[in-house]
Each structure stands twice: as structure tokens, then as C-alpha cells.
């Protein structure tokens, strides 16, 4: 476990992860501009996009620029770790958004953590949270699922795992596969599940479509979809088991020697039925059975 670095001592070498604008360069933070101008090494997912961003921001890059995309990240990590050990600042940027979030960066962070080297982050734009708040769907709890699987079988199994997920789900998808993925989602999650398709976030042709999965699937099928796509799908509604079935389960546990209060708590968990309501129903049935037994004995 590494203690935080003293606020009075600047580490001689460190790894910086920096979020870059999704589209509009004006979303760049002041700290990103400083880092671009001063970093000893900039590891960029696409070096051409990096230089275009620097030009748009009016920043002159003084450090060494190296490519840092998925296929080379593992091989680059030891070299970049050595640079940090030697006292250099290594800045990692991707094409848009936050490094490591479905983009290169995770392997290098892991290597630096293992080597006990300083790692920090310059926060900023994220397609995940931007799409989430624009979707109009609940944001209190959500899960990020990365890119949807490409193969049909894997994609259906992946969607099936989301069928009972109560949290809002956010994932990325290629515009070429969006129609197929949404059609699969209709079959697996249901045509009425609320969702949103967010396209070209913060860019000139930003578009957010909200509706049911069936409506969005039809839109994606009817026209040509372009640009960067983020999909947001509402979580599953909690399923409510029939009250009489829950009461029967409570009775089984009570007959097995469990206290009524404990049995109700155990059965009510995850059922969608409040404990107070289930307890009242269980007590009512017990009272009715006792009354019936008393009437039979009188006969």
C-alpha cells in the first residue's frame, strides 16, 4: 500500500492520465493544456489526433510523442515505466474521454502501481457519464458495460445477463452494428424497455434519441447511422412475487422452527414486497387457520 505523496513535494517522475474532449476542444481543462505543453513523454492512442488537438488548443508540445494504442500497449509499458523511474512525466491521452475506460491505459497503470510509481489523473470529459445524464434515465446507480460483443451468440448472452440488472446500463457500440444490437436487445430485454441512443456527443451533429428499445431499433434500421455511439438502457423493474406464494414460503420456514419475524425478513429480501405487508399477510393466514382448526374441533 502506497501513502499519498506529500503536498509539498512534487514527485520527480509520474504517470498522468488525462481526459481529452469528446469533440469540442473548448472542453479541455486548463490542467490538460499545461500537461500537453510540459510532459516529457506523451503516449497517445493516435498521434495525429493528438497533434490536431494541440493545434486546436494552441499548445506547443515539447516532449517526446509515442503511439500507445491497444496492440502496442503491453510492449510500451516497460519502456514508459522506465522513463518514469528516471524522473520523467509520462502523459497518457486517448482519442476522446478518459484513458483506461474502454481505451488504452489500464496495463500501464497496473505496471506503475506494481512498481510503486506515482499515478495521478487529470479529470474531464467522459462519454459514459455524458450519455447517462442526457438519457433521462435514472442515474443514481448505473453499470458500464464497455463495447457490446461483436458475435451474435456472445451478444445475446451478454444481454441476457442484463435482463434482471436493476441498474441503468451504459455501453458503446459501432454504428455498423447498432441496428443488430438493438434488435437483439428487443428480443432479450423486451420491446418496451426504455433506452437512449446518444450520437456524436458534444460535436456539431450531436443527437440524443430517447424511447423504447423497439422504437430505437426501428430508427437504427430505417436510416444510416454514423458517428460515435453510446447506448443507455433502463434497468429492470423489480419483480414482485405473488403474495400467497411468499406467505407459503414463510410458513415453510416457520414450520421448520424459524421465528416468524426472521422468516419474513428472509423471504421478503429481493421479493419486491415490503416486510410489513408480508408479515401482516402471514399473521392473517395463521390466524385464519387457527380459527378454522378451532371450528373443526368444536364440530
Amino acid at each position: 500500500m502506497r501513502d499519498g505523496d506529500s503536498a509539498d513535494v512534487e514527485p520527480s517522475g509520474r504517470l498522468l492520465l488525462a481526459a481529452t474532449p469528446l469533440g469540442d476542444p473548448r472542453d479541455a481543462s486548463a490542467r490538460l493544456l499545461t500537461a500537453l505543453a510540459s510532459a516529457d513523454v506523451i503516449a497517445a492512442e493516435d498521434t495525429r489526433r493528438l497533434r490536431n488537438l494541440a493545434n486546436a488548443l494552441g499548445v506547443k508540445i515539447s516532449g517526446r510523442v509515442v503511439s500507445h494504442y491497444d496492440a502496442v500497449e503491453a510492449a510500451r509499458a516497460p519502456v514508459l515505466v522506465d522513463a518514469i523511474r528516471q524522473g520523467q512525466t509520462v502523459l497518457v491521452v486517448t482519442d476522446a474521454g478518459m484513458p483506461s475506460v474502454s481505451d488504452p491505459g489500464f496495463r500501464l497503470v497496473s505496471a506503475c502501481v506494481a512498481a510503486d510509481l506515482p499515478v495521478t489523473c487529470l479529470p474531464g470529459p467522459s462519454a459514459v457519464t455524458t450519455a447517462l445524464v442526457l438519457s433521462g434515465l435514472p442515474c443514481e446507480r448505473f453499470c458500464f458495460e464497455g463495447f457490446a460483443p461483436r458475435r451474435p451468440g456472445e451478444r445475446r448472452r451478454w444481454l441476457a445477463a442484463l435482463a434482471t440488472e436493476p441498474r441503468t446500463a451504459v455501453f458503446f457500440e459501432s454504428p455498423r452494428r447498432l441496428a443488430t444490437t438493438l434488435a437483439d436487445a428487443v428480443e432479450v430485454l423486451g420491446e418496451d424497455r426504455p433506452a437512449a441512443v446518444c450520437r456524436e456527443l458534444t460535436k456539431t451533429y450531436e443527437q440524443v434519441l430517447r424511447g423504447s428499445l423497439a422504437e430505437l431499433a426501428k430508427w437504427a434500421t430505417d436510416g444510416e447511422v454514423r458517428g460515435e455511439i453510446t447506448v443507455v438502457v433502463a434497468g429492470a423493474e423489480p419483480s414482485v412475487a405473488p403474495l400467497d406464494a411468499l406467505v407459503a414460503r414463510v410458513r415453510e420456514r416457520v414450520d421448520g422452527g424459524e421465528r416468524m419475524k426472521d422468516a419474513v425478513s428472509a423471504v421478503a429480501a429481493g421479493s419486491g414486497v415490503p416486510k410489513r405487508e408480508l408479515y401482516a399477510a402471514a399473521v392473517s393466514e395463521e390466524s385464519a387457520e387457527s380459527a378454522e382448526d378451532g371450528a373443526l374441533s368444536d364440530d
Side-chain angles (χ1 to χ4, degrees):
M1 182 174 180
R2 181 188 179 90
D3 292 333
D5 294 301
S6 169
D8 299 326
V9 179
E10 187 74 11
S12 56
R14 58 179 176 164
L15 174 65
L16 296 181
L17 303 169
T20 53
L22 303 178
D24 193 328
R26 292 173 298 178
D27 292 333
S29 70
R31 294 178 69 195
L32 173 61
L33 270 66
T34 299
L36 288 172
S38 62
D40 299 296
V41 181
I42 302 179
E45 184 177 12
D46 186 321
T47 58
R48 291 169 298 180
R49 289 198 181 190
L50 166 65
R51 296 192 185 282
N52 288 339
L53 175 62
N55 289 335
L57 298 175
V59 174
K60 183 177 180 180
I61 295 174
S62 59
R64 179 165 56 95
V65 175
V66 298
S67 58
H68 189 249
Y69 50 93
D70 287 329
V72 302
E73 183 181 7
R76 284 270 193 273
V79 178
L80 296 175
V81 167
D82 283 343
I84 296 170
R85 278 202 188 98
Q86 294 167 16
Q88 298 184 42
T89 295
V90 174
L91 172 66
V92 175
V93 294
T94 58
D95 293 346
M98 182 62 70
S100 293
V101 182
S102 288
D103 275 327
F106 171 73
R107 292 184 180 88
L108 181 54
V109 171
S110 296
C112 287
V113 170
D116 201 24
L117 294 171
V119 180
T120 191
C121 177
L122 308 185
S126 166
V128 177
T129 52
T130 302
L132 181 65
V133 299
L134 289 177
S135 70
L137 298 173
C139 302
E140 291 83 3
R141 299 178 66 229
F142 70 94
C143 58
F144 173 58
E145 295 291 320
F147 277 92
R150 296 187 178 191
R151 296 181 179 179
E154 292 180 9
R155 185 165 57 241
R156 286 176 176 271
R157 288 191 291 273
W158 171 74
L159 286 166
L162 295 176
T164 57
E165 170 58 62
R167 296 171 296 177
T168 300
V170 185
F171 63 90
F172 298 149
E173 184 53 290
S174 159
R176 298 187 303 276
R177 293 188 297 273
L178 180 63
T180 303
T181 296
L182 291 177
D184 286 344
V186 168
E187 291 188 23
V188 178
L189 303 179
E191 61 180 18
D192 295 327
R193 182 77 69 99
V197 172
C198 304
R199 190 181 72 84
E200 294 290 87
L201 291 171
T202 78
K203 300 177 184 177
T204 302
Y205 298 105
E206 175 179 288
Q207 184 179 29
V208 179
L209 294 103
R210 307 173 184 89
S212 68
L213 281 174
E215 292 169 335
L216 295 174
K218 184 178 185 304
W219 166 81
T221 302
D222 289 347
E224 183 181 5
V225 181
R226 296 181 179 180
E228 301 287 336
I229 303 292
T230 306
V231 180
V232 187
V233 180
E237 292 290 335
S239 58
V240 179
L243 188 59
D244 56 350
L246 295 176
V247 169
R249 287 166 56 190
V250 169
R251 184 56 186 268
E252 288 177 5
R253 299 177 78 109
V254 170
D255 290 344
E258 198 168 345
R259 291 194 312 163
M260 173 73 79
K261 183 178 180 180
D262 294 336
V264 167
S265 295
V267 173
S271 70
V273 175
K275 287 190 292 184
R276 181 179 299 178
E277 181 180 343
L278 179 56
Y279 186 87
V283 169
S284 176
E285 180 177 280
E286 187 176 51
S287 299
E289 289 182 355
S290 297
E292 184 178 346
D293 291 341
L296 290 174
S297 64
D298 289 342
D299 292 341

